[in-house]
Amino acid sequence: MQQLSKRHWTPFQIAVASAAFLAHKPGTKILDIGSGVGKFCLIGAHFHPDSYFYGIEQREELYLYARTAKEVLKVENASFICGNFTRFNANQYDSFYFYNAFFEHLKPEDGIDQQLNYSPDLYDYYTRYMQDIMDQRVAGTRLVTYYSMGDEVPDSYQLVDASDDMLLKMWIKR
């Protein structure tokens, strides 16, 4: 997992900045789409104990690592769900974090493992699905994308902040 960390999981400072933007008021429910081993959620939960961080991950092994880390760290305001986000109701969340979990469908050689069927068609399907979910959200919904081409962000979102290299982007729905 450590070998995969640099490429597939959020760097600490990115997680801290993203969580601060997403957890803008107490009680905020934040969903990490493609949460991997839970790094973003656990960091966010630590720094924002009045908000709730949820991660959805379709790989059972990564989900189990996240659950174990949560138990070891004794984090109460983070939860993990094993499943595909297209079979999950996102309406109960206020803010969303997305570190381009779909990209491995375009470059399977850079993927985490060979447990999934990779295809450009799945990239397109997941991207459109996420765009639809985000478009249905209420005005004021917050979204952070990291290493994303922006395909999943509907035109109804306004870019309000970004890192100098434009890899980290913070959006609010108008």
Side-chain angles (χ1 to χ4, degrees):
M1 291 301 119
Q2 286 180 331
Q3 292 174 351
L4 294 170
S5 182
K6 272 191 166 182
R7 184 176 202 84
H8 294 283
W9 291 295
T10 305
F12 181 82
Q13 294 295 32
I14 298 296
V16 170
S18 298
F21 175 76
L22 296 172
H24 63 287
K25 62 182 178 184
T28 301
K29 294 181 179 180
I30 297 132
L31 179 66
D32 178 2
I33 298 171
S35 59
V37 296
K39 186 176 177 184
F40 167 75
C41 290
L42 294 170
I43 292 169
H46 173 78
F47 284 99
H48 301 279
D50 292 338
S51 292
Y52 303 92
F53 291 79
Y54 301 86
I56 186 161
E57 173 57 52
Q58 65 182 333
R59 290 176 172 94
E60 185 174 13
E61 180 182 16
L62 300 183
Y63 158 78
L64 293 172
Y65 279 121
R67 296 245 344 217
T68 300
K70 171 190 160 60
E71 291 170 14
V72 168
L73 296 171
K74 296 178 176 42
V75 176
E76 297 297 323
N77 59 323
S79 295
F80 299 98
I81 304 142
C82 187
N84 186 302
F85 90 106
T86 64
R87 297 183 186 100
F88 181 75
N89 183 356
N91 291 333
Q92 58 193 321
Y93 302 98
D94 308 303
S95 298
F96 298 85
Y97 179 75
F98 180 70
Y99 180 175
N100 198 350
F102 312 148
F103 188 73
E104 62 188 333
H105 288 284
L106 297 178
K107 295 198 123 255
E109 64 274 10
D110 291 338
I112 293 171
D113 55 34
Q114 298 304 313
Q115 292 182 20
L116 304 179
N117 294 321
Y118 297 113
S119 81
D121 289 341
L122 276 174
Y123 175 87
D124 291 340
Y125 172 71
Y126 289 150
T127 298
R128 280 192 310 274
Y129 191 89
M130 185 170 165
Q131 190 177 61
D132 288 346
I133 287 173
M134 294 295 106
D135 207 25
Q136 294 171 21
R137 305 304 306 143
V138 298
T141 296
R142 292 177 178 225
L143 168 66
V144 169
T145 58
Y146 184 60
Y147 265 98
S148 166
M149 294 183 280
D151 298 338
E152 65 286 334
V153 181
D155 292 338
S156 57
Y157 282 73
Q158 179 179 355
L159 182 64
V160 295
D161 200 5
S163 59
D164 291 339
D165 58 10
M166 296 299 286
L167 294 177
L168 176 67
K169 297 176 183 171
M170 298 175 184
W171 309 85
I172 296 179
K173 183 166 186 200
R174 294 177 266 183

